[in-house]
């Protein structure tokens, strides 16, 4: 009984991309973070491949600076182009970004291979499918402030599309917290496991909920005194 196998062509390449937040992922508004994107070839085939990478920096970050080991980054199109990789080559793009959001929670960055001049053996450029090796996501965690004495809550959420979820508080599973969202009523460090795997969609940062009950503002009102008989 013959078996038909679908084998990659000898000319196919294997381009992989990673994106990493350098240092601690727990940050504050106004902090400058370093986000490093690496794209490299894992195949041993001869010849060059031209690569274009797209980056989604979002509105919660301000670009301070960027430097590429080869090629150039266009901030208007969010494209890193001019990359030409031989077998075993690596190209690096390093961003310095200032955190702008004051909402709190996870704030993420995403990068992916947008196009290649040759076919990739195990992924399709531009489709942004998170199970492929040509896309990466990294996050920073900005604390969420709650005043528990005022019964304030915070709705935490993760990516949709997984078949199972389990939320944890301070490393302990939360009973009944098995959906993509969870309403936090207590301070603590929250994480989630999706499909039995930690760090859904590439994010390993905990969501930190901290106590913050600001004191009432003291208002000084003018006092008028009127003498009567």
């Amino acid at each position: 009984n013959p078996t038909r196998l679908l084998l990659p062509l000898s000319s196919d390449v294997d381009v992989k991309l990673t994106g990493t937040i350098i240092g601690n992922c727990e940050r504050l508004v106004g902090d400058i973070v370093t986000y490093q994107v690496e794209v490299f070839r894992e195949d041993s085939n001869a010849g060059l491949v031209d690569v274009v990478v797209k980056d989604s920096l979002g509105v919660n970050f301000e670009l301070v600076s960027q430097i590429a080991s080869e090629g150039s980054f266009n901030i208007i199109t969010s494209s890193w182009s001019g990359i030409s990789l031989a077998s075993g080559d690596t190209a690096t793009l390093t961003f310095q970004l200032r955190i702008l959001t004051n909402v709190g929670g996870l704030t993420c960055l995403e990068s992916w291979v947008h196009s290649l001049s040759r076919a990739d053996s195990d992924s399709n450029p531009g489709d942004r499918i998170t199970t492929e090796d040509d896309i990466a996501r990294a996050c920073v965690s900005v604390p969420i402030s709650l005043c528990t004495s005022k019964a304030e809550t915070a709705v935490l959420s993760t990516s949709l599309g997984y078949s199972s979820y389990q939320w944890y508080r301070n490393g302990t599973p939360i009973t009944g917290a098995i959906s993509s969202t969870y309403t936090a009523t207590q301070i603590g460090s929250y994480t989630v496991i999706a499909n039995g795997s930690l760090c859904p969609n590439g994010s390993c940062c905990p969501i930190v909920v901290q106590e913050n009950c600001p004191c009432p503002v003291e208002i000084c009102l003018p006092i008028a005194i009127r003498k009567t008989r």
Side-chain angles (χ1 to χ4, degrees):
N1 296 320
T3 300
R4 177 175 295 178
L5 299 176
L6 184 60
L7 300 175
L9 298 176
S10 60
S11 60
D12 286 355
V13 297
D14 185 9
V15 174
K16 185 175 180 178
L17 182 142
T18 61
T20 308
I21 298 289
I22 306 300
N24 189 357
C25 69
E26 296 181 30
R27 303 298 180 94
L28 299 175
V29 176
D31 284 355
I32 293 179
V33 300
T34 301
Y35 174 56
Q36 190 171 78
V37 182
E38 286 190 345
V39 59
F40 49 95
R41 278 183 61 180
E42 293 191 308
D43 63 278
S44 58
N45 290 330
L48 299 174
V49 58
D50 297 329
V51 185
V52 176
V53 173
K54 284 274 194 176
D55 298 279
S56 178
L57 304 181
V59 298
N60 293 322
F61 293 95
E62 176 188 17
L63 179 61
V64 177
S65 66
Q66 51 82 21
I67 184 168
S69 63
E70 70 174 278
S72 60
F73 177 72
N74 187 318
I75 189 173
I76 297 175
T77 61
S78 295
S79 297
W80 175 24
S81 58
I83 310 163
S84 188
L85 301 178
S87 175
D89 278 356
T90 299
T92 303
L93 175 61
T94 303
F95 293 100
Q96 294 284 309
L97 304 164
R98 181 178 287 107
I99 302 173
L100 300 179
T101 180
N102 58 5
V103 176
L106 293 184
T107 301
C108 300
L109 300 151
E110 192 171 83
S111 303
W112 64 96
V113 174
H114 177 66
S115 65
L116 294 175
S117 60
R118 295 167 64 177
D120 194 298
S121 61
D122 59 4
S123 58
N124 294 307
D127 62 5
R128 299 177 70 175
I129 295 177
T130 57
T131 55
E132 295 181 352
D133 66 356
D134 64 348
I135 184 169
R137 188 171 185 255
C139 304
V140 294
S141 179
V142 178
I144 299 173
S145 295
L146 283 187
C147 182
T148 56
S149 63
K150 294 182 180 179
E152 291 182 351
T153 63
V155 178
L156 315 181
S157 62
T158 188
S159 303
L160 298 173
Y162 296 96
S163 59
S164 66
Y165 300 88
Q166 177 61 63
W167 286 88
Y168 290 72
R169 174 176 171 269
N170 297 334
T172 302
I174 304 169
T175 302
I178 55 173
S179 70
S180 61
T181 62
Y182 175 72
T183 301
T185 59
Q186 297 177 290
I187 62 172
S189 179
Y190 291 85
T191 53
V192 63
I193 286 181
N195 285 7
S197 176
L198 191 62
C199 311
N201 209 13
S203 170
C204 293
C205 269
I207 302 175
V208 178
V209 179
Q210 63 185 13
E211 184 78 19
N212 184 18
C213 293
C215 296
V217 178
E218 294 184 3
I219 302 175
C220 183
L221 299 175
I223 298 175
I225 301 175
R226 183 166 58 92
K227 186 176 181 180
T228 61
R229 291 184 180 181

